[in-house]
Every structure is written in structure tokens, then in C-alpha cells.
Amino acid sequence: MKGSFKYAFFDFDGTVCDTEGQYTLFWGEIGRKYLQEVPDFEHIIKGTTLKQIFERYIPDEELQKKIKEALDDFEGNMNYNLFPGVENFIANIKSQGVKCAIVTSSNLIKMASARQSIPEFFALFDRVFTAEDFTASKPAPDCYLHAASAFNARLEDCVVFEDAYNGLEAGMASGIFTVGMASGHSPEELKDRCDYIITDYSSIDYNTIAKALTR
């Protein structure tokens, strides 16, 4: 029914968890160490998956292994700081009967570290989908179509929350109503890439998103 939703799919990094600044530092160091010929490497790869980074910039398998080990160690010790208000927002929409899932291009190892760091947050979710659950990564829509299928949900009953261009493209391509979180990009930069834009979670609730669905 227009003006209501039953399923909410959240990207993780940059959408509910404020980790992008830490990744910028990590990939900046990698770029300076191994890819001096690629200026602003840490910014160019924002929103892309590890597989995409390796395919486009780091074909050497030994170097891939070295970077993967460094990334696993980094993610095992990083800070998983949630955006203000996101826990209350998710609790609010769940109180309206909405099923919630994390849909991320991160792998199981990384998400296990995140779950260990913020277990009370993960307890809010009905499912967690990781890179191992789908073949084609964002911007392909497969991850969100898979999530909807896993819940046996109609696409019109779902909402996607994303922050990065690739993720927003995946959400829009899936045919699901897509909300852009303006964390790494300005609202102006997101305006043609999603159906609705938010700048924080503290001032929104179920009714905010339900109303946006009627526009």
C-alpha cells in the first residue's frame, strides 16, 4: 500500500556506521605505498568493493594477499561508531512491524568484527546479508533483489537506505524506493541519484519515510 513499507534494507559503512573516514586513512596509506601513480586513490575507490579495487588497480595476486591481510587486521580493530539517532530510528520502524536487514558488500569476517563491537545494534536486525550472499556487487541491484527475495517481499513494500553512489545506483536499479543518506556526499550531490534524501536519523521516524513514499 502506498504510504507504508514493511521491509528496510540498510547499507552498513557510511549509512548506519560512520567508518568512511577510517577507510580513507587506510586506503590513503595503501595508495601512497603501492599506487603512487594513482592520485587521490583513497577517494577514487570510495563506495567500491575490495574485488572491484583489486580488479581495477591491483592485479598482482601476492600484493592482493598482503593488502587483504592488512585490511582484515584493520577492520578487526577499527571503531564502529554509529550515526546519531540510527538505533532509535530502527527501533521506531520495527515497532511498526518493519523487518530490517543489513545489506553490505563487506565480507563475513569484517561483519563478525562489527557484530562483536556493537552487538546490541545487530540485535535490531532480522537478517544480515554480506558479500558472500551474491555474485554481482553494487552498483548491480543483485544484493537488494536477493534481500527482498529472502523475505519473500514485494519490491514496493521495501525501502533501501544508502550513502555511496554505487549503493544508490544499486537501490534504484532494483526498483526499490531508495533513501540517500547525505554523509559522504552533500544533498545536492545526491538529488538525482535517489528517491528521497536524509541528512541524519535523529529527526526522522516511520511516518517520515511513509510520507515520502507518497510523493
Side-chain angles (χ1 to χ4, degrees):
M1 183 175 67
K2 201 170 185 181
S4 65
F5 62 104
K6 299 177 181 178
Y7 305 90
F9 304 143
F10 294 84
D11 173 52
F12 188 70
D13 295 288
T15 300
V16 296
C17 200
D18 189 9
T19 54
E20 291 300 332
Q22 295 173 77
Y23 279 115
T24 297
L25 293 176
F26 175 84
W27 287 112
E29 185 176 339
I30 294 296
R32 287 186 293 274
K33 191 171 183 180
Y34 301 113
L35 294 149
Q36 295 94 339
E37 73 279 9
V38 185
D40 296 322
F41 178 68
E42 65 269 36
H43 299 294
I44 292 172
I45 56 90
K46 179 176 169 58
T48 60
T49 65
L50 184 62
K51 180 181 178 182
Q52 291 166 339
I53 293 169
F54 284 167
E55 288 176 347
R56 296 173 189 175
Y57 302 101
I58 308 169
D60 182 84
E61 292 185 0
E62 284 301 312
L63 183 54
Q64 287 181 5
K65 182 179 178 182
K66 184 181 296 186
I67 292 173
K68 178 66 167 59
E69 290 173 351
L71 181 60
D72 286 343
D73 182 65
F74 174 79
E75 290 177 334
N77 294 282
M78 70 190 301
N79 296 316
Y80 292 97
N81 299 315
L82 299 171
F83 283 111
V86 68
E87 289 175 282
N88 288 337
F89 171 69
I90 295 173
N92 172 261
I93 64 174
K94 285 185 70 68
S95 73
Q96 299 298 313
V98 176
K99 299 285 187 182
C100 296
I102 290 172
V103 182
T104 177
S105 296
S106 295
N107 62 25
L108 282 167
I109 295 174
K110 182 265 185 73
M111 296 311 289
S113 296
R115 187 187 293 270
Q116 187 173 11
S117 177
I118 46 175
E120 68 288 345
F121 181 65
F122 277 82
L124 293 170
F125 291 90
D126 299 280
R127 297 285 297 269
V128 176
F129 300 99
T130 64
E132 289 82 358
D133 290 310
F134 31 84
T135 302
S137 300
K138 303 170 185 177
D142 300 43
C143 57
Y144 288 116
L145 294 174
H146 175 78
S149 178
F151 282 103
N152 196 28
R154 299 187 308 164
L155 299 183
E156 56 264 38
D157 290 331
C158 304
V159 176
V160 161
F161 292 81
E162 273 281 1
D163 70 296
Y165 289 160
N166 276 352
L168 293 167
E169 185 176 338
M172 295 294 284
S174 73
I176 297 173
F177 188 90
T178 301
V179 177
M181 169 61 171
S183 56
H185 298 289
S186 69
E188 180 68 20
E189 291 171 320
L190 298 185
K191 69 176 185 178
D192 296 322
R193 296 177 180 269
C194 56
D195 296 301
Y196 186 70
I197 297 169
I198 60 173
T199 56
D200 64 80
Y201 293 98
S202 300
S203 58
I204 65 171
D205 59 12
Y206 174 87
N207 291 329
T208 308
I209 304 303
K211 184 177 180 181
L213 287 164
T214 66
R215 294 180 179 179

